[in-house]
Amino acid sequence: MIPFQYTRASDVSDAIRQIAADPAARFIAGGTNLIDLMKYDVEHPARLIDISRLPLRSIEETSGGGLRIGALVPNSDLAYHPLIEQRYPLVASAILAGASQQLRNMASTGGNLVQRTRCFYFYDAVTPCNKRQPGSGCSAITGVNRINAILGTSEACIATHPSDMCVALAALEAIVHVAGPAGARTIAFSDFHRLPDNVPQRDTNLEPDEIITAIEFPPKGFNANYSYLKIRDRLSYAFALVSVAAALELDGDTIKEARVAVGGVAHKPWRVSAAEAVLLGQRADASIFAQAADIMLRGAKGYGHNNFKIGLARRAIVRTLSQAARGTPQSQSVKKIR
Ligand SMILES: Cc1cc2nc3c(=O)[nH]c(=O)nc-3n(C[C@H](O)[C@H](O)[C@H](O)COP(=O)(O)OP(=O)(O)OC[C@H]3O[C@@H](n4cnc5c(N)ncnc54)[C@H](O)[C@@H]3O)c2cc1C
Ligand code: SF4
């Protein structure tokens, strides 16, 4: 048993005051990741600041035509919200591909962004891991790295970001609203997660004394031509080996706008602007999708057990874009169980 203090934040300002005053404290929302990390002896917060009762549970339309999602909206409420189902089905599809219904009922929107890697060695407190213990080494590079990254890796870390929802949010270009002692600010989704470089212990550009208050969805939801495809070892309750979020705007057969983000391959959802640019003005077919996939995977490198991900990602990108173009998104066929 690790001793820790437990406090509740009364409002957002109080949450910021409490976290800024105690660098050894952590926010707890749904607890579905943090509690596991504490049990595995990976995280040792001296204090948990419970933010789960803060009034950040609403989904509101913005004046610009988008949606603002409170950081504490549970993943299942978000996926089944009528405005999300109608206007942002890519997000609903990605959320429902993750975890289990029970976990999605507990997991919060903000916590989903800050969940940590599932690299086996990160969770195994007796093995070297630069992310868990900076400077100790990376066991995955020469170890069992089937689930690890093939893009954007460094000599210090080859971990992936495990979220499904974040892959869809990257494609939609969501905006993260945060608040801290210096006030409120926004972070473009592409800048929220970091590559490991030589600071693998830092997953995001959120400061330690900042709280996520909301995620803003831009007006464009690509609700006609989208697809989220998740390839994993089991059909449910498993993290992605490779996942792809694709969103297209078509004029007949011609691509007017394209967004593609790949999960399970890097320390952040992977997007490459040159790959999306090559699709513009082209006829939506498998040959141009294959060209885009090749651009997205330029520089991909396997570490042994995960070499298969390079070919898998290429095929998954082509298939997901083809499904999006046909308007036949891979259905997660998840029943509504509330
Ligand atoms: C068995 C299992 C399977 C899973 N499968 C999947 C899957 O397939 N796909 C997938 O995407 N996810 C999966 N998950 C992960 C799950 O989605 C995350 O654990 C969840 O989204 C985290 O949200 P939470 O509210 O529970 O976060 P918590 O555990 O409460 O917190 C996680 C981290 O976020 C920080 N945090 C929380 N809220 C905020 C905030 N508002 N501002 C700043 N920091 C904050 C906490 O301090 C902590 O560091 C799985 C989890 C489990 C246990
Ligand atoms: S890949 Fe990253 S998380 Fe995994 S062992 Fe190496 S340093 Fe740790």
Side-chain angles (χ1 to χ4, degrees):
M1 179 68 192
I2 310 163
F4 61 89
Q5 289 183 328
Y6 171 87
T7 55
R8 275 184 197 161
S10 54
D11 56 28
V12 170
S13 307
D14 181 43
I16 295 167
R17 250 193 319 273
Q18 289 198 43
I19 198 99
D22 188 353
R26 291 282 181 280
F27 291 134
I28 184 157
T32 60
N33 190 214
L34 184 55
I35 297 292
D36 277 357
L37 291 167
M38 291 168 69
K39 287 183 188 164
Y40 278 99
D41 203 15
V42 175
E43 298 235 23
H44 314 94
R47 190 146 67 104
L48 292 182
I49 304 168
D50 187 346
I51 56 171
S52 65
R53 290 167 177 79
L54 297 184
L56 301 173
R57 284 183 177 252
S58 59
I59 297 178
E60 292 160 7
E61 305 212 39
T62 63
S63 54
L67 286 185
R68 186 183 164 102
I69 317 299
L72 290 167
V73 172
N75 286 179
S76 37
D77 288 13
L78 184 58
Y80 293 133
H81 194 284
L83 288 174
I84 301 295
E85 287 179 328
Q86 287 156 22
R87 289 171 50 188
Y88 303 94
L90 179 61
V91 176
S93 198
I95 292 173
L96 294 178
S100 65
Q101 185 63 39
Q102 291 88 343
L103 282 158
R104 293 191 295 265
N105 288 343
M106 288 299 292
S108 66
T109 302
N112 193 300
L113 269 60
V114 195
Q115 64 172 297
R116 306 210 68 189
T117 185
R118 309 306 288 203
C119 174
F120 303 138
Y121 300 100
F122 178 67
Y123 279 80
D124 180 0
V126 298
T127 55
C129 168
N130 287 324
K131 188 181 278 296
R132 178 169 31 75
Q133 194 182 347
S136 62
C138 172
S139 299
I141 288 178
T142 52
V144 179
N145 48 42
R146 173 177 162 74
I147 65 168
N148 290 78
I150 53 170
L151 287 159
T153 54
S154 73
E155 286 179 8
C157 180
I158 60 169
T160 61
H161 191 262
S163 168
D164 289 291
M165 183 183 77
C166 290
V167 184
L169 296 189
L172 291 180
E173 299 185 347
I175 297 163
V176 187
H177 289 252
V178 308
R185 67 181 178 120
T186 56
I187 308 174
F189 207 82
S190 55
D191 297 329
F192 186 80
H193 297 99
R194 297 161 54 100
L195 290 180
D197 296 323
N198 56 359
V199 198
Q201 65 273 26
R202 190 144 184 220
D203 296 339
T204 73
N205 286 315
L206 187 73
E207 295 299 332
D209 55 6
E210 285 182 319
I211 184 170
I212 300 170
T213 51
I215 317 292
E216 186 180 331
F217 292 3
K220 219 169 198 177
F222 297 91
N223 60 354
N225 292 97
Y226 71 91
S227 180
Y228 185 74
L229 177 64
K230 178 175 179 178
I231 311 287
R232 48 192 151 169
D233 283 328
R234 292 185 305 269
L235 195 54
S236 77
Y237 207 54
F239 289 88
L241 290 167
V242 168
S243 69
V244 185
L248 297 173
E249 188 180 342
L250 299 177
D251 181 2
D253 276 352
T254 305
I255 302 168
K256 280 180 66 188
E257 191 167 355
R259 308 269 182 85
V260 193
V262 185
V265 294
H267 206 251
K268 61 190 288 185
W270 194 254
R271 267 185 83 192
V272 177
S273 53
E276 294 173 5
V278 85
L279 296 170
L280 300 186
Q282 302 293 323
R283 192 167 170 272
D285 65 24
S287 64
I288 195 71
F289 296 154
Q291 274 186 47
D294 288 340
I295 296 172
M296 289 202 81
L297 294 166
R298 264 185 206 150
K301 175 183 170 193
Y303 289 83
H305 298 271
N306 69 349
N307 292 350
F308 73 96
K309 279 194 179 185
I310 300 173
L312 181 63
R314 188 176 188 276
R315 293 189 296 277
I317 293 167
V318 174
R319 179 167 148 194
T320 315
L321 279 163
S322 303
Q323 290 177 174
R326 282 198 303 265
T328 55
Q330 178 112 340
S331 162
Q332 292 305 324
S333 55
V334 174
K335 272 176 63 188
K336 285 193 181 189
I337 309 163
R338 291 170 198 259

